[in-house]
Amino acid sequence: MLKFVKGPLESIEGVSIYPIISLLIFFIFFTALFWWVFTAKKEYINKVSKLPLEIEEDETKFSAETTN
């Protein structure tokens, strides 16, 4: 299977830079995400974690008000 991918790519000049670039993007993204997770304020995390529940409560209140 690798022969079908590797063969045509070997004929392209400078193609070896793309795996390096993709690895750098991957590493930088997850390093930044890791840094953000550990430096995020606890109040913000608690507020965001409760958002789905608040929306659900608002929807149930709205549906209860419209049925009455």
Side-chain angles (χ1 to χ4, degrees), residues 11-67:
S11 64
I12 300 172
E13 196 172 311
V15 76
S16 62
I17 192 72
Y18 292 111
I20 295 168
I21 291 171
S22 63
L23 180 65
L24 282 174
I25 291 171
F26 177 83
F27 181 76
I28 290 169
F29 174 77
F30 281 104
T31 302
L33 186 66
F34 185 76
W35 174 78
W36 179 80
V37 166
F38 282 103
T39 60
K41 293 184 179 182
K42 212 165 209 161
E43 297 86 26
Y44 175 76
I45 299 296
N46 288 333
K47 178 183 173 186
V48 173
S49 68
K50 293 177 183 176
L51 277 177
L53 299 174
E54 290 174 2
I55 292 171
E56 210 172 89
E57 289 172 1
D58 291 342
E59 288 176 355
T60 55
K61 286 179 187 176
F62 178 73
S63 62
E65 291 173 358
T66 57
T67 56

